[in-house]
Amino acid sequence: MNRANKNVLVVGGAGYIGSHTTLALREAGFNPVVYDNFSTGHRDACFGTTLVEGELSDRDRLVSTLRDHDIDGVIHFAALIEAGQSVVGPLPFFRNNVASTLSLLEAMQETGIRRLVFSSTAAVYGNLPDGKPLNEGLPRNPVNPYGHTKSMVETMLEATASAHGLQAIALRYFNASGADPQCRTGERHTPETHLIPLIIEAALGTRAAIKIFGTDYQTPDGTCIRDYIHVNDLATGHVAALNNLFETDLPGIRAYNLGTGTGHSVREVIDMVRRISGRDFAVLEEGRRAGDPAILVADASGANRDLGWKAKHSGIDQIVRDAWNYALSAQGESFRSTGS
Ligand SMILES: NC(=O)c1ccc[n+]([C@@H]2O[C@H](COP(=O)([O-])OP(=O)(O)OC[C@H]3O[C@@H](n4cnc5c(N)ncnc54)[C@H](O)[C@@H]3O)[C@@H](O)[C@H]2O)c1
């Protein structure tokens, strides 16, 4: 396959995972075009990639963008992502993540573009009590509106694939983390709710303390265990999924977990930030939050087998080191941790 002839529309490509994926697409020889409304994304995360400012809901603009740039395939990252916020204010999540995605699917149908990689999430599984690695054969059973929006889009993709020949891969990410090792882009969510950047804020002194929610779980140190996946591994997962769609031409939708299969507890991650940063900070122990399962780890054997993809940069030390160095560079500090 000649990737230099493959133009890829990256919807939501100015965001955290999209900007890393855009870099990986360029490095793999694809021609990405970013389509974004910059509601949570950043223009400066796109580094000379062609940018189209547009709304996911704007079907006509999507049609003209797909035609003008002679697009061969689409990656769809654009969404509101904060699960807690989706509980208190669900309607914008259903409008943005579900209703607006219809415009993209209609635009793809109108222009005859059939290949799509969709950002799904481990949140589609809901809370499973036994702590075993989650595989894609489990039923989707989300427990918050955000998870429902992703599950609903997977349902839309299934129906569109069977009626109109869409060829789609839904990638269900576990805990996205880390940053580009060259600090060209990194995690910049507002508000930030993800554990590693929050701990780093505590280490930098821009947050008074880090809170641990629940220290009495059935885990070795009593805190929750999650599967942290380096954002550059997610990026190469998208490249692998696109390659697979172009090479196999398989109709239908397939779902793959992107994770490592190994979990780390909240205390382990806190200790790693202390070690990499060389800084100490306050830790507050609070009660459990409703709806947090003790353990969530991926069975990623499907992506290993079918996409030839494996996480290569997701050691927790490398994740924390890259996230720490990015946070320092964003603050204008010149010190770089090499880890030890
Ligand atoms: N970050 C995680 O840990 C994680 C985990 C699982 C799944 N995901 C999924 O991955 C995707 C990317 O997440 P992220 O962390 O990079 O989020 P992000 O907020 O950094 O990126 C989302 C991007 O989409 C754009 N966008 C949002 N709504 C839009 C609209 N209506 N029109 C055009 N552009 C729009 C934003 O401006 C932003 O650039 C999301 O779909 C999210 O649900 C993320």
Side-chain angles (χ1 to χ4, degrees):
M1 178 183 56
N2 184 357
R3 291 186 197 126
N5 296 328
K6 298 291 181 205
N7 301 323
V8 180
L9 192 69
V10 188
V11 183
Y16 171 45
I17 304 168
S19 61
H20 290 81
T21 300
T22 301
L23 283 174
L25 287 168
R26 284 167 53 164
E27 280 155 20
F30 288 100
N31 299 325
V33 173
V34 167
Y35 183 98
D36 205 294
N37 68 359
F38 304 106
S39 54
T40 60
H42 307 273
R43 281 173 204 278
D44 63 8
C46 298
F47 323 96
T49 301
T50 305
L51 284 184
V52 177
E53 182 162 0
E55 259 297 325
L56 177 61
S57 58
D58 189 342
R59 182 173 176 273
D60 292 345
R61 185 145 178 76
L62 282 163
V63 168
S64 60
T65 303
L66 292 168
R67 288 204 172 116
D68 291 351
H69 295 274
D70 199 14
I71 294 296
D72 299 290
V74 176
I75 306 182
H76 175 23
F77 290 103
L80 298 176
I81 68 162
E82 220 275 275
Q85 188 58 38
S86 79
V87 175
V88 293
L91 298 183
F93 283 75
F94 287 107
R95 171 155 309 277
N96 198 60
N97 297 5
V98 183
S100 296
T101 294
L102 284 172
S103 301
L104 176 62
L105 294 179
E106 287 169 356
M108 288 177 68
Q109 194 191 348
E110 184 171 333
T111 52
I113 294 160
R114 291 187 304 170
R115 296 182 181 90
L116 174 69
V117 180
F118 171 61
S119 290
S120 191
T121 168
V124 297
Y125 295 115
N127 293 345
L128 291 151
D130 63 11
K132 286 193 195 132
L134 304 176
N135 66 61
E136 298 88 349
L138 289 163
R140 301 200 302 268
N141 192 18
V143 293
N144 55 53
Y146 166 72
H148 277 289
T149 67
K150 294 291 178 175
S151 182
M152 288 166 81
V153 172
E154 287 199 24
T155 302
M156 283 158 45
L157 299 184
E158 284 157 11
T160 312
S162 102
H164 303 299
L166 182 75
Q167 300 170 359
I169 291 182
L171 296 175
R172 297 176 180 164
Y173 319 152
F174 281 63
N175 288 59
S177 47
D180 172 47
Q182 297 174 47
C183 299
R184 291 170 294 179
T185 183
E187 190 162 10
R188 277 189 277 172
H189 293 125
T190 310
E192 189 57 72
T193 58
H194 293 152
L195 180 67
I196 292 174
L198 291 178
I199 305 172
I200 285 174
E201 286 177 13
L204 289 170
T206 54
R207 170 174 298 276
I210 186 73
K211 291 181 181 170
I212 302 180
F213 295 101
T215 54
D216 59 349
Y217 286 96
Q218 292 290 311
T219 59
D221 67 17
T223 65
C224 287
I225 291 178
R226 296 289 181 268
D227 188 335
Y228 295 91
I229 171 94
H230 196 293
V231 65
N232 274 0
D233 282 329
L234 290 180
T236 59
H238 290 76
V239 172
L242 261 190
N243 279 333
N244 183 278
L245 287 174
F246 284 119
E247 282 162 13
T248 63
D249 218 21
L250 279 177
I253 164 170
R254 291 170 282 152
Y256 295 106
N257 291 335
L258 294 185
T260 66
T262 302
H264 296 280
S265 73
V266 176
R267 283 197 208 281
E268 283 179 298
V269 180
I270 290 173
D271 288 346
M272 187 56 71
V273 175
R274 284 202 171 108
R275 184 155 81 75
I276 297 284
S277 68
R279 301 186 189 187
D280 201 7
F281 46 87
V283 176
L284 302 178
E285 296 186 4
E286 309 241 328
R288 294 183 182 197
R289 277 187 310 207
D292 273 347
I295 302 174
L296 277 182
V297 293
D299 173 350
S301 56
N304 300 165
R305 183 192 60 234
D306 294 354
L307 305 182
W309 171 89
K310 208 165 172 41
K312 291 187 180 147
H313 308 284
S314 294
I316 194 67
D317 51 347
Q318 184 172 352
I319 285 174
V320 169
R321 189 181 315 120
D322 290 344
W324 172 249
N325 285 335
Y326 176 73
L328 290 183
S329 79
Q331 285 207 327
E333 293 192 31
S334 57
F335 169 76
R336 295 271 191 281
S337 168
T338 52
S340 57

